[in-house]
Protein backbone atom coordinates (compact mmCIF):
# COMPACT_ATOMS: atom_id res chain seq x y z
CA UNK A 1 0.00 0.00 0.00
CA UNK A 2 2.86 2.33 0.86
CA UNK A 3 4.50 1.74 -2.55
CA UNK A 4 1.16 2.33 -4.27
CA UNK A 5 0.74 5.71 -2.54
CA UNK A 6 4.28 6.70 -3.48
CA UNK A 7 3.55 5.74 -7.09
CA UNK A 8 0.36 7.81 -7.10
CA UNK A 9 2.21 10.76 -5.61
CA UNK A 10 4.94 10.48 -8.25
CA UNK A 11 2.39 10.35 -11.08
CA UNK A 12 0.59 13.37 -9.62
CA UNK A 13 3.80 15.40 -9.43
CA UNK A 14 4.72 14.36 -12.99
CA UNK A 15 1.33 15.37 -14.39
CA UNK A 16 1.45 18.68 -12.53
CA UNK A 17 4.85 19.41 -14.04
CA UNK A 18 3.63 18.47 -17.52
CA UNK A 19 0.64 20.79 -17.23
CA UNK A 20 2.87 23.56 -15.95
CA UNK A 21 5.31 23.13 -18.83
CA UNK A 22 2.43 23.09 -21.32
CA UNK A 23 1.08 26.46 -20.22
CA UNK A 24 1.25 29.23 -22.77
CA UNK A 25 4.08 31.73 -22.54
CA UNK A 26 3.23 35.21 -23.79
CA UNK A 27 5.96 37.45 -25.18
CA UNK A 28 6.22 41.00 -26.49
CA UNK A 29 7.73 41.76 -29.90
CA UNK A 30 11.22 41.85 -28.37
CA UNK A 31 10.79 38.35 -26.93
CA UNK A 32 10.30 39.38 -23.30
CA UNK A 33 7.73 37.50 -21.23
CA UNK A 34 4.53 39.42 -20.44
CA UNK A 35 1.22 38.54 -18.81
CA UNK A 36 -1.67 37.12 -20.74
CA UNK A 37 -3.71 40.20 -19.83
CA UNK A 38 -1.08 42.54 -21.30
CA UNK A 39 -0.78 40.35 -24.40
CA UNK A 40 -4.52 40.38 -25.07
CA UNK A 41 -4.88 44.09 -24.29
CA UNK A 42 -2.23 45.03 -26.86
CA UNK A 43 -3.94 42.91 -29.51
CA UNK A 44 -7.33 44.46 -28.77
CA UNK A 45 -6.19 48.07 -28.40
CA UNK A 46 -2.76 48.31 -30.00
CA UNK A 47 -1.34 47.75 -33.47
CA UNK A 48 -0.40 44.12 -32.82
CA UNK A 49 -1.22 40.59 -33.91
CA UNK A 50 -0.53 37.48 -31.86
CA UNK A 51 1.42 34.75 -33.66
CA UNK A 52 3.02 31.41 -32.67
CA UNK A 53 6.58 31.66 -31.38
CA UNK A 54 9.54 29.38 -31.97
CA UNK A 55 8.49 27.22 -29.04
CA UNK A 56 5.16 25.47 -29.50
CA UNK A 57 3.83 26.98 -26.26
CA UNK A 58 4.89 30.55 -27.08
CA UNK A 59 2.57 33.28 -28.33
CA UNK A 60 4.36 36.41 -29.55
CA UNK A 61 3.18 39.93 -30.37
CA UNK A 62 4.06 41.22 -33.83
CA UNK A 63 3.68 44.86 -34.82
CA UNK A 64 1.25 45.48 -37.67
CA UNK A 65 3.41 48.21 -39.22
CA UNK A 66 6.93 46.80 -39.55
CA UNK A 67 9.71 48.74 -41.24
CA UNK A 68 13.42 48.29 -41.74
CA UNK A 69 15.93 47.36 -44.39
CA UNK A 70 16.60 44.24 -46.42
CA UNK A 71 20.03 43.33 -47.79
CA UNK A 72 18.94 42.17 -51.24
CA UNK A 73 16.19 44.39 -52.68
CA UNK A 74 17.18 43.45 -56.23
CA UNK A 75 15.94 39.90 -55.60
CA UNK A 76 12.40 41.19 -55.07
CA UNK A 77 12.49 43.50 -58.07
CA UNK A 78 13.84 40.81 -60.38
CA UNK A 79 11.36 38.20 -59.13
CA UNK A 80 8.60 40.52 -60.37
CA UNK A 81 10.36 41.27 -63.65
CA UNK A 82 11.15 44.84 -62.62
CA UNK A 83 14.88 45.14 -63.29
CA UNK A 84 14.32 48.36 -65.26
CA UNK A 85 12.27 49.83 -62.42
CA UNK A 86 15.17 49.04 -60.09
CA UNK A 87 17.58 50.88 -62.40
CA UNK A 88 15.22 53.86 -62.47
CA UNK A 89 15.41 54.02 -58.67
CA UNK A 90 11.67 53.67 -58.10
CA UNK A 91 10.18 52.09 -54.98
CA UNK A 92 7.66 49.32 -55.65
CA UNK A 93 4.29 48.77 -54.00
CA UNK A 94 3.22 45.16 -53.54
CA UNK A 95 -0.20 44.15 -52.22
CA UNK A 96 -0.40 40.60 -50.88
CA UNK A 97 -3.53 38.43 -50.69
CA UNK A 98 -3.22 35.37 -48.36
CA UNK A 99 -6.33 33.56 -49.56
CA UNK A 100 -10.03 33.76 -48.84
CA UNK A 101 -10.94 34.58 -45.24
CA UNK A 102 -13.81 36.15 -43.30
CA UNK A 103 -12.37 39.62 -43.79
CA UNK A 104 -11.87 39.61 -47.55
CA UNK A 105 -14.79 37.41 -48.58
CA UNK A 106 -17.36 40.22 -48.30
CA UNK A 107 -17.66 43.83 -49.34
CA UNK A 108 -17.36 43.69 -53.13
CA UNK A 109 -20.69 43.56 -54.98
CA UNK A 110 -21.92 44.62 -58.39
CA UNK A 111 -23.22 47.82 -56.82
CA UNK A 112 -19.83 49.02 -55.58
CA UNK A 113 -17.56 47.74 -58.34
CA UNK A 114 -17.20 51.27 -59.70
CA UNK A 115 -16.09 52.46 -56.28
CA UNK A 116 -13.31 49.87 -56.20
CA UNK A 117 -12.25 50.78 -59.73
CA UNK A 118 -11.99 54.47 -58.80
CA UNK A 119 -10.15 53.54 -55.61
CA UNK A 120 -7.55 51.58 -57.56
CA UNK A 121 -7.18 54.36 -60.12
CA UNK A 122 -6.64 56.84 -57.28
CA UNK A 123 -4.00 54.59 -55.75
CA UNK A 124 -2.07 54.07 -59.01
CA UNK A 125 -2.16 57.81 -59.70
CA UNK A 126 -0.84 58.73 -56.26
CA UNK A 127 1.86 56.07 -56.30
CA UNK A 128 3.11 57.55 -59.58
CA UNK A 129 3.00 61.07 -58.09
CA UNK A 130 5.33 59.89 -55.32
CA UNK A 131 7.73 58.40 -57.83
CA UNK A 132 6.73 54.82 -57.11
CA UNK A 133 5.75 51.86 -59.26
CA UNK A 134 2.60 49.82 -58.81
CA UNK A 135 0.54 48.62 -57.23
CA UNK A 136 1.43 45.01 -58.01
CA UNK A 137 -1.02 42.42 -56.75
CA UNK A 138 0.24 38.99 -55.70
CA UNK A 139 -1.39 36.11 -53.88
CA UNK A 140 -0.62 32.98 -51.92
CA UNK A 141 -3.97 31.34 -52.65
CA UNK A 142 -6.23 32.69 -55.45
CA UNK A 143 -9.49 31.50 -53.89
CA UNK A 144 -11.93 34.41 -53.82
CA UNK A 145 -10.06 36.65 -56.28
CA UNK A 146 -12.54 36.11 -59.09
CA UNK A 147 -14.63 39.00 -57.74
CA UNK A 148 -11.82 41.41 -58.71
CA UNK A 149 -11.90 40.39 -62.37
CA UNK A 150 -11.77 43.50 -64.55
CA UNK A 151 -10.67 45.69 -61.63
CA UNK A 152 -7.16 44.46 -60.89
CA UNK A 153 -4.87 41.65 -62.04
CA UNK A 154 -3.35 39.24 -59.54
CA UNK A 155 -0.31 36.99 -59.97
CA UNK A 156 1.14 34.25 -57.75
CA UNK A 157 3.80 35.18 -55.22
CA UNK A 158 7.03 34.19 -57.05
CA UNK A 159 8.33 31.10 -55.24
CA UNK A 160 6.69 32.33 -52.04
CA UNK A 161 9.34 35.04 -51.83
CA UNK A 162 7.19 37.80 -50.34
CA UNK A 163 5.33 35.48 -47.99
CA UNK A 164 8.57 34.11 -46.56
CA UNK A 165 10.11 37.53 -45.99
CA UNK A 166 7.20 39.81 -45.12
CA UNK A 167 3.94 37.87 -44.71
CA UNK A 168 4.78 34.70 -42.78
CA UNK A 169 1.31 34.37 -41.28
CA UNK A 170 -2.16 34.64 -42.90
CA UNK A 171 -2.91 38.18 -41.82
CA UNK A 172 -6.59 39.03 -42.45
CA UNK A 173 -7.85 40.57 -45.70
CA UNK A 174 -4.63 41.66 -47.41
CA UNK A 175 -1.32 43.32 -46.58
CA UNK A 176 1.18 45.53 -48.38
CA UNK A 177 4.87 46.29 -48.49
CA UNK A 178 6.72 49.18 -50.14
CA UNK A 179 10.38 48.53 -50.99
CA UNK A 180 12.88 51.01 -52.41
CA UNK A 181 16.07 50.21 -54.37
CA UNK A 182 18.21 50.76 -51.26
CA UNK A 183 16.35 48.01 -49.42
CA UNK A 184 14.31 50.25 -47.13
CA UNK A 185 10.79 48.96 -46.63
CA UNK A 186 7.55 49.77 -44.82
CA UNK A 187 4.56 47.47 -44.54
CA UNK A 188 1.16 47.04 -42.97
CA UNK A 189 0.03 43.54 -42.03
CA UNK A 190 -3.69 43.00 -42.37
CA UNK A 191 -6.38 45.27 -43.80
CA UNK A 192 -5.49 48.91 -44.50
CA UNK A 193 -6.81 52.01 -46.28
CA UNK A 194 -5.00 52.81 -49.54
CA UNK A 195 -3.97 56.17 -48.12
CA UNK A 196 -1.54 54.28 -45.88
CA UNK A 197 0.40 53.16 -48.96
CA UNK A 198 0.90 56.78 -49.99
CA UNK A 199 1.99 57.59 -46.42
CA UNK A 200 4.52 54.74 -46.54
CA UNK A 201 5.97 56.15 -49.78
CA UNK A 202 6.28 59.59 -48.17
CA UNK A 203 8.09 58.14 -45.16
CA UNK A 204 10.51 56.17 -47.33
CA UNK A 205 11.22 59.29 -49.35
CA UNK A 206 12.12 61.20 -46.19
CA UNK A 207 14.40 58.42 -44.96
CA UNK A 208 16.58 58.43 -48.10
Amino acid sequence: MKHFLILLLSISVFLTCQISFAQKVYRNEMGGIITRESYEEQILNGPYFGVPGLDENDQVLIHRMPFGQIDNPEVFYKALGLSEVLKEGKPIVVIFYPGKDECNSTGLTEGNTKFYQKDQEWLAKNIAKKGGYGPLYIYKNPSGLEKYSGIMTWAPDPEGLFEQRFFKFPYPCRSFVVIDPSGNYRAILGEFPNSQIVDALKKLEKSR
Side-chain angles (χ1 to χ4, degrees), residues 31-44:
I33 295 176
I34 58 177
T35 65
R36 176 178 176 178
E37 290 75 17
S38 176
Y39 176 85
E40 293 177 347
E41 193 277 332
Q42 292 186 71
I43 291 174
L44 288 172

Side-chain angles (χ1 to χ4, degrees), residues 53-69:
L54 295 177
D55 187 284
E56 64 179 352
N57 294 320
D58 280 3
Q59 290 292 311
V60 182
L61 291 173
I62 181 170
H63 202 280
R64 286 196 58 216
M65 294 174 280
F67 63 93
Q69 188 167 37

Side-chain angles (χ1 to χ4, degrees), residues 67 121 139 150 158 163:
F67 63 93
E121 290 170 3
Y139 62 80
E163 178 191 8

Side-chain angles (χ1 to χ4, degrees), residues 40-162:
E40 293 177 347
E41 193 277 332
Q42 292 186 71
I43 291 174
L44 288 172
N45 300 309
Y48 290 94
F49 283 130
V51 301
L54 295 177
D55 187 284
E56 64 179 352
N57 294 320
D58 280 3
Q59 290 292 311
V60 182
L61 291 173
I62 181 170
H63 202 280
R64 286 196 58 216
M65 294 174 280
F67 63 93
Q69 188 167 37
I70 52 177
D71 296 327
N72 52 350
E74 66 278 357
V75 171
F76 296 89
Y77 279 79
K78 291 177 180 178
L80 296 171
L82 300 176
S83 295
E84 287 302 313
V85 176
L86 177 65
K87 290 179 182 178
E88 292 169 2
K90 293 183 178 181
I92 56 173
V93 174
V94 176
I95 295 176
F96 182 85
Y97 177 86
K100 190 175 182 180
D101 61 29
E102 290 184 6
C103 179
N104 60 36
S105 59
T106 60
L108 182 61
T109 64
E110 290 183 8
N112 61 14
T113 296
K114 288 184 178 180
F115 167 80
Y116 276 86
Q117 287 175 328
K118 289 182 179 179
D119 199 38
Q120 297 312 304
E121 290 170 3
W122 177 90
L123 179 59
K125 181 180 178 179
N126 280 274
I127 289 173
K129 278 185 177 180
K130 293 300 174 186
Y133 184 90
L136 299 126
Y137 300 94
I138 63 174
Y139 62 80
K140 176 182 178 180
N141 185 325
S143 176
L145 288 178
E146 58 277 357
K147 66 183 180 181
Y148 295 109
S149 177
I151 302 175
M152 58 194 76
T153 301
W154 295 82
D157 181 6
E159 299 184 3
L161 183 65
F162 286 85

